Amino acid sequence: MTTSARYKSRIFKTEDSEDKQYVGFATLPNQVHRKSVKKGFDFTLMVAGESGLGKSTLVNSLFLTDLYKDRKLLNAEERINQTVEITKHTVDIEEKGVKLKLTIVDTPGFGDAVNNNECWKPITDYIDQQFEQYFRDESGLNRKNILDNRVHCCLYFIPPFGHGLRPVDVEFMKALHEKVNIIPLIAKADCLTPNEIKKLKDRVRDEIERFGIKVYQFPECDSDEDEEFKQMDKELKECTPFAVIGSNTVVEARGQRVRGRLYPWGIVEVENQSHCDFVKLRNMLIRSHMHDLKDVTCDVHYENYRAHCIQEMTSKLAQDNRMDSPIPILPLPTPDAETERLIKMKDEELKRMQEMLEKMQQQMHEKDQ
Amino acid sequence: MAATDVDVFSNEEKRSLSLGGHVGFDSLPDQLVSKSVTQGFCFNILCVGETGIGKSTLMNTLFNTTFENEEASHYQNGVYLRPRTYDLQESNVHLKLTIVDTVGFGDQINKEESYKPIVDYIDTQFENYLQEELKIKRSLFNYHDTRIHICLYFIAPTGHSLKSLDLVTMKKLDSKVNIIPIIAKADTISKSELHKFKIKIMSELVSNGVQIYQFPTDDDAVAEINSSMNAHLPFAVVGSVEEVKVGNKTVRARQYPWGVVQVENESHCDFVKLREMLIRVNMEDLREQTHARHYELYRRCKLEEMGFKDTDPDSQPFSLQETYEAKRKEFLGDLQRKEEEMRQMFVNKVKETEAELKEKERELHDKFEQLKRMHQDEKRKVEEKRKDLEEEINAFNTRKVAAETLSLSQPLKKDKDRKNRSEKNENQSGMSLSNSKVMMAKANVEPLNCQSWWQAIQCCTCLVHNDAWKQGLF
């Protein structure tokens, strides 16, 4: 059920009763709807995971377009020392008059090199950069046309070939869970039987809890929602992480043309709920929780970043003993720990030398006397 | 060595003769077979692949039994190898099977060192065999051969190409062991993708110079099947020990909501091909290759390292014995030289330390002299001061005596005397008082003006020894 259908029915109820005392602000949702349609929406989705897990295929299946034409895949020997890049694809898609500007941020090269130490650093830097950009724009004088490039959601692909989360998965999610909404997915789920899927999901959920990773939590549904919705919500929550299959090709199955994968032993249908959780993911991501993801990004992750930034700035200013400048000065791009330590050492040295000087002066003073 | 043998034989006279009747040496292969059957066979498999990729399941499926194995965790600090030996029997043939598992492969964040434990393990097995071969009393026929005959490299079914770790590891292993790459969990790749994937993998291996095991095509009996199998590499396998009912048969398969993947169905996966090639056709050839090619290469490298050569600088064939003698002499000579060096060093060190000690002794002596001199100087000064003080005391005493005689030499009336005496006494005491005041004043000043505590005490001592003090006049 779409949100619009739900509230429209409520408006009709109020109109029937109490015509004389009808004020009319019940049409506010309508007005919001109209305005938002006119303004259009935007959404930034990041996909992360090792190569070969089906990220591009899934994105194509989700949005029913082909975002990755002419993609050049690297050979194994080129990938030995590969660094992570960040690539952005932006498309404008429209459905029933509602415009969506969709940006997909891809991370080719993640986890592909032989030495993957800190391979998530370019990704965290990118997210911080977007936050910083938005912060700057928000604090500027002309705020009419702020471009919101902040990443609203990160789909993390877990390979199904293992027994659970691997160290690189854990490290990546821990580095990012305070900056972006992470939704973990089990990729290429057509290599697992239903029993194996259940075992793997339980394992992954346990490990996520054990390592203290804060993945995106679905908001609790209000108590006045109808039962069907609550049931759906409960099922959704028990199903995480979603086990997904993606497909770019259309095959013929049971007399219909569906998206699927053709095997000698059968056909996997992408949109069949008993085959995989693709439909649940799509519903959650696009049909019900897209706006909530954006809200959490704005209200929680961005505010955390902003508070952190301002605290750093004020502590730096206090140390310098300067007057607060009216225009907020943005902090230097994260000075690394090394230079900070050196600066602290030099400060202490200076203080010590100053004290010694004072002592010597005092002594000289006494001697003169 | 083998090359020179052939030459030797071709130089000899060789004639082929035809036999008049049946002699019976055509039973030689049978004798060989019965001997080897009684001896039992030995086969060692190394499985290299990421955790959870299906190595243990494939072994169970291949040998149709359940080998005991625990699931490995993803959080190992490094790669380590876990060899397990089993005794299998089929008909009357005994097989001693060793399966070596790589635990923790591909799990670390930094995988640059992942190949090392594997290479070390293979080298150790070669080394053990070499040691056994070089022994004086050896029993090679009894020896449990642990050299790895085949390495099954499990490739993850990404569908794109090899992973960088796979390439690096295979390059390090290809000269040490027979490698057969297989695509694991192949039920996640559709037919068309599989074809492209196989081509991509083989081209990457070829372009990087990785030599995988080629099934031999020189034996007529198996040439055809082997060459066709060579074209199917890498094998895409699916493993399963669960049985599923398909039709009216129960087969080993994986049950999905959309179908059943049968392990032994040739159109579903290449498991049957792998089993044919690995076990039924080429097992013996694998063992031979390991011994004749990989082991010989290792042995040659190792012996060359130690300094053995096949031919002299004069290109005369060397015998092992002479080389050994030469090596031994060299070694002993080295030892002696080292001993000399160490003795030399020891002597030098002792000399150095002695010199240091002497130096220190001299310094101490000098210091002692200096201190003594200082002490004497001080003493002299003190003596002089004392003399001065004594002179002063004497002077004062004479003055006092003079003053007393002065007062006594004037005879006065008794009371006058008394008065005078009292006056004088007063005067005297006054004088002595003033004297004592002087002394006091002196005392107040002098000890404090002394340069050292020794002098101060001397001043005070003079004070104490002073008669005025003794008289208790203040």
Side-chain angles (χ1 to χ4, degrees):
Chain A
M1 273 207 289
T2 60
T3 349
S4 52
R6 270 189 291 130
Y7 67 72
K8 268 193 183 135
S9 54
R10 287 204 199 118
I11 293 170
F12 286 134
K13 278 190 204 147
T14 46
E15 270 188 4
D16 279 339
S17 60
E18 320 257 341
D19 266 357
K20 287 182 196 148
Q21 285 147 1
Y22 177 57
V23 181
F25 55 76
T27 58
L28 271 170
N30 258 353
Q31 299 174 26
V32 170
H33 188 245
R34 228 183 27 237
K35 276 222 148 159
S36 57
V37 165
K38 200 170 114 183
K39 198 165 97 167
F41 294 90
D42 63 353
F43 191 67
T44 308
L45 178 69
M46 177 185 266
V47 285
E50 277 187 4
S51 358
L53 287 180
K55 302 186 291 290
S56 329
T57 317
L58 187 74
V59 167
N60 284 343
S61 310
L62 269 177
F63 296 100
L64 294 175
T65 69
D66 191 8
L67 284 169
Y68 291 94
K69 284 200 252 277
D70 308 327
R71 193 165 58 130
K72 188 171 157 322
L73 292 167
L74 292 179
N75 288 331
E77 67 259 20
E78 292 164 1
R79 281 195 260 151
I80 291 178
N81 290 320
Q82 195 182 25
T83 49
V84 180
E85 296 170 358
I86 309 272
T87 58
K88 261 169 50 162
H89 301 268
T90 312
V91 282
D92 278 317
I93 43 186
E94 188 183 317
E95 196 181 54
K96 289 206 192 128
V98 178
K99 295 200 244 316
L100 174 66
K101 180 160 100 76
L102 177 70
T103 310
I104 307 283
V105 180
D106 204 355
T107 55
F110 176 77
D112 281 346
V114 179
N115 183 353
N116 288 317
N117 264 336
E118 306 242 315
C119 59
W120 49 85
K121 205 154 175 319
I123 302 176
T124 49
D125 287 344
Y126 175 80
I127 296 178
D128 281 339
Q129 258 176 39
Q130 304 313 308
F131 278 158
E132 191 190 315
Q133 173 88 36
Y134 193 81
F135 184 39
R136 235 187 267 254
D137 288 345
E138 200 186 43
S139 326
L141 295 173
N142 186 354
R143 303 208 294 186
K144 255 200 175 161
N145 296 322
I146 303 183
L147 264 183
D148 187 4
N149 279 329
R150 297 172 292 183
V151 180
H152 298 126
C153 173
C154 175
L155 295 177
Y156 185 70
F157 287 71
I158 300 171
F161 313 125
H163 295 310
L165 290 178
R166 294 166 308 158
V168 68
D169 302 331
V170 173
E171 291 299 314
F172 176 83
M173 288 203 269
K174 280 179 90 158
L176 253 69
H177 64 163
E178 312 250 291
K179 296 185 193 283
V180 74
N181 301 314
I182 297 186
I183 298 183
L185 301 174
I186 298 179
K188 293 208 167 175
D190 54 351
C191 90
L192 298 169
T193 60
N195 271 344
E196 290 169 352
I197 289 187
K198 189 166 167 324
K199 252 197 338 185
L200 185 59
K201 282 188 182 182
D202 288 338
R203 255 288 190 43
V204 171
R205 267 200 297 259
D206 281 338
E207 287 182 346
I208 285 180
E209 217 180 282
R210 186 153 56 102
F211 289 106
I213 300 170
K214 302 197 206 79
V215 295
Y216 173 69
Q217 303 290 335
F218 303 116
E220 298 296 327
C221 45
D222 309 320
S223 51
D224 60 348
E225 300 276 358
D226 41 6
E227 275 305 313
E228 195 191 319
F229 188 71
K230 278 199 201 161
Q231 181 66 24
M232 251 176 43
D233 197 55
K234 193 158 96 84
E235 270 177 37
L236 212 62
K237 288 193 185 152
E238 280 171 7
C239 232
T240 52
F242 297 124
V244 292
I245 303 174
S247 167
N248 278 333
T249 52
V250 178
V251 294
E252 180 100 13
R254 294 179 286 136
Q256 292 177 328
R257 291 180 64 79
V258 287
R259 277 185 166 243
R261 290 172 66 74
L262 179 63
Y263 288 116
W265 49 85
I267 300 181
V268 183
E269 293 165 46
V270 164
E271 303 200 9
N272 187 331
Q273 294 241 30
S274 57
H275 287 187
C276 71
D277 297 331
F278 175 80
V279 176
K280 291 202 179 74
L281 172 70
R282 184 183 57 191
N283 287 347
M284 189 278 296
L285 187 62
I286 303 180
R287 295 187 188 174
S288 41
H289 289 83
M290 194 182 243
H291 209 80
D292 185 62
L293 284 164
K294 286 179 72 169
D295 284 342
V296 173
T297 313
C298 294
D299 297 340
V300 177
H301 298 296
Y302 173 68
E303 291 299 319
N304 278 344
Y305 174 83
R306 189 170 166 277
H308 181 67
C309 242
I310 294 183
Q311 266 182 353
E312 266 190 27
M313 272 200 295
T314 49
S315 68
K316 277 210 175 94
L317 289 179
Q319 274 183 5
D320 289 347
N321 275 336
R322 280 194 313 217
M323 294 294 293
D324 250 348
S325 45
I327 306 165
I329 305 167
L330 287 169
L332 304 160
T334 42
D336 43 348
E338 193 59 40
T339 41
E340 271 194 19
R341 201 171 45 84
L342 281 171
I343 291 176
K344 276 197 193 129
M345 263 170 52
K346 292 274 159 38
D347 272 338
E348 283 171 32
E349 265 187 62
L350 268 168
K351 273 194 211 143
R352 265 187 270 131
M353 280 170 52
Q354 273 189 345
E355 285 172 26
M356 270 173 59
L357 256 170
E358 283 183 13
K359 260 195 236 162
M360 276 165 52
Q361 278 185 349
Q362 268 188 1
Q363 278 185 359
M364 272 173 50
H365 228 30
E366 285 172 23
K367 278 202 177 154
D368 287 341
Q369 287 172 0
Chain B
M1 283 315 221
T4 47
D5 280 350
V6 167
D7 281 339
V8 162
F9 282 140
S10 67
N11 283 341
E12 291 178 357
E13 281 269 333
K14 227 177 11 177
R15 296 178 299 153
S16 340
L17 298 170
S18 53
L19 299 170
H22 181 240
V23 179
F25 60 76
D26 60 351
S27 67
L28 274 171
D30 298 328
Q31 296 174 27
L32 190 61
V33 165
S34 62
K35 177 172 150 233
S36 45
V37 165
T38 41
Q39 219 179 6
F41 293 91
C42 167
F43 197 62
N44 307 319
I45 305 182
L46 169 67
C47 293
V48 180
E50 296 176 357
T51 311
I53 199 110
K55 305 184 281 289
S56 321
T57 314
L58 187 69
M59 288 295 110
N60 289 349
T61 323
L62 260 179
F63 291 100
N64 219 343
T65 169
T66 316
F67 299 115
E68 78 245 0
N69 44 29
E70 325 104 28
E71 239 178 41
S73 101
H74 280 281
Y75 301 101
Q76 307 280 350
N77 270 338
V79 180
Y80 72 94
L81 282 92
R82 196 170 57 177
R84 293 227 173 96
T85 312
Y86 306 98
D87 269 317
L88 304 173
Q89 184 180 7
E90 196 177 48
S91 319
N92 56 344
V93 178
H94 288 266
L95 178 67
K96 208 184 194 116
L97 180 71
T98 305
I99 300 184
V100 186
D101 212 355
T102 50
V103 179
F105 188 75
D107 276 337
Q108 297 81 33
I109 295 185
N110 184 352
K111 297 178 271 220
E112 282 177 350
E113 309 282 305
S114 293
Y115 69 88
K116 283 215 180 97
I118 306 176
V119 170
D120 288 342
Y121 181 83
I122 298 175
D123 279 344
T124 317
Q125 308 317 307
F126 281 153
E127 183 66 32
N128 291 345
Y129 193 83
L130 184 64
Q131 293 295 331
E132 181 67 29
E133 234 191 7
L134 290 176
K135 268 195 202 163
I136 300 176
K137 258 188 155 178
R138 61 188 197 180
S139 56
L140 278 177
F141 59 88
N142 241 344
Y143 179 70
H144 173 45
D145 187 5
T146 53
R147 296 172 296 180
I148 303 287
H149 299 126
I150 171 98
C151 168
L152 290 174
Y153 197 95
F154 288 71
I155 298 173
T158 56
H160 292 320
S161 67
L162 282 177
K163 290 195 182 167
S164 47
L165 175 65
D166 295 341
L167 197 59
V168 165
T169 313
M170 280 207 260
K171 276 192 91 159
K172 295 275 178 199
L173 289 178
D174 70 348
S175 57
K176 296 198 177 277
V177 73
N178 304 314
I179 302 184
I180 294 185
I182 54 184
I183 301 176
K185 300 209 169 176
D187 50 355
T188 194
I189 315 185
S190 65
K191 265 228 154 50
S192 52
E193 290 170 358
L194 187 63
H195 191 62
K196 274 194 287 187
F197 190 35
K198 283 191 181 182
I199 294 179
K200 188 80 194 331
I201 291 180
M202 292 310 282
S203 74
E204 278 195 337
L205 290 175
V206 163
S207 67
N208 281 292
V210 176
Q211 289 180 334
I212 55 174
Y213 176 71
Q214 297 292 323
F215 302 118
T217 44
D218 44 6
D219 182 358
D220 290 332
V222 289
E224 210 183 290
I225 185 173
N226 275 348
S227 54
S228 76
M229 289 301 178
N230 273 332
H232 279 112
L233 280 175
F235 294 128
V237 292
V238 174
S240 170
V241 282
E242 289 154 7
E243 312 238 317
V244 172
K245 204 161 163 59
V246 171
N248 49 2
K249 286 193 300 177
T250 331
V251 288
R252 288 182 295 175
R254 284 173 69 74
Q255 169 89 308
Y256 287 111
W258 48 86
V260 177
V261 183
Q262 293 163 35
V263 165
E264 303 198 14
N265 187 331
E266 294 236 21
S267 60
H268 287 190
C269 69
D270 297 331
F271 173 78
V272 173
K273 296 193 181 77
L274 174 69
R275 190 177 54 190
E276 279 283 315
M277 287 294 102
L278 185 61
I279 303 181
R280 294 184 186 175
V281 177
N282 293 312
M283 209 181 216
E284 187 54 37
D285 182 69
L286 283 164
R287 281 154 37 109
E288 238 186 81
Q289 286 281 333
T290 311
H291 183 75
R293 222 175 60 181
H294 300 291
Y295 171 67
E296 287 300 315
L297 182 65
Y298 175 81
R299 182 173 170 278
R300 197 171 70 199
C301 291
K302 210 58 198 311
L303 293 181
E304 269 174 5
E305 249 179 65
M306 296 209 288
F308 292 98
K309 281 191 286 285
D310 267 351
T311 49
D312 224 353
D314 303 333
S315 35
Q316 291 276 325
F318 244 19
S319 87
L320 204 66
Q321 253 184 326
E322 288 175 26
T323 327
Y324 193 60
E325 277 300 313
K327 279 249 109 175
R328 206 157 142 265
K329 276 200 210 118
E330 210 187 302
F331 183 62
L332 285 172
D334 262 343
L335 259 174
Q336 274 193 334
R337 231 180 327 115
K338 279 222 167 97
E339 243 185 271
E340 272 304 313
E341 270 182 39
M342 292 193 89
R343 209 177 297 145
Q344 214 36 39
M345 245 172 50
F346 181 67
V347 165
N348 284 349
K349 265 226 155 108
V350 165
K351 276 203 195 125
E352 262 178 55
T353 333
E354 271 185 26
E356 263 186 48
L357 277 171
K358 277 212 179 85
E359 179 75 31
K360 284 256 154 76
E361 220 183 295
R362 206 164 30 82
E363 270 180 39
L364 268 169
H365 211 67
D366 284 343
K367 230 182 177 174
F368 179 63
E369 295 285 317
Q370 206 188 16
L371 278 172
K372 209 158 112 178
R373 251 181 288 131
M374 263 174 64
H375 186 72
Q376 284 183 345
D377 280 341
E378 293 279 326
K379 216 167 159 184
R380 219 176 353 102
K381 280 194 205 149
V382 161
E383 283 296 322
E384 279 176 26
K385 278 232 155 131
R386 199 147 74 98
K387 263 191 238 151
D388 286 342
L389 206 57
E390 279 191 14
E391 278 174 27
E392 263 183 47
I393 292 176
N394 288 339
F396 172 68
N397 278 342
T398 46
R399 274 196 302 179
K400 193 166 119 185
V401 164
E404 276 180 7
T405 47
L406 203 63
S407 62
L408 285 173
S409 62
Q410 292 181 355
L412 291 165
K413 281 187 200 158
K414 250 196 183 174
D415 21 358
K416 252 198 182 170
D417 273 1
R418 235 191 289 132
K419 243 198 221 164
N420 286 346
R421 215 175 291 132
S422 60
E423 274 183 21
K424 270 183 216 127
N425 267 345
E426 278 180 15
N427 282 345
Q428 200 182 19
S429 56
M431 206 162 37
S432 44
L433 259 176
S434 61
N435 275 342
S436 59
K437 272 198 185 139
V438 168
M439 282 307 295
M440 186 83 138
K442 247 189 166 179
N444 273 341
V445 172
E446 289 238 11
L448 286 182
N449 269 347
C450 295
Q451 290 291 358
S452 72
W453 60 268
W454 180 240
Q455 293 179 358
I457 288 194
Q458 295 287 32
C459 293
C460 296
T461 342
C462 300
L463 216 57
V464 164
H465 286 147
N466 193 330
D467 295 341
W469 178 290
K470 281 194 181 154
Q471 285 171 18
L473 280 178
F474 40 82

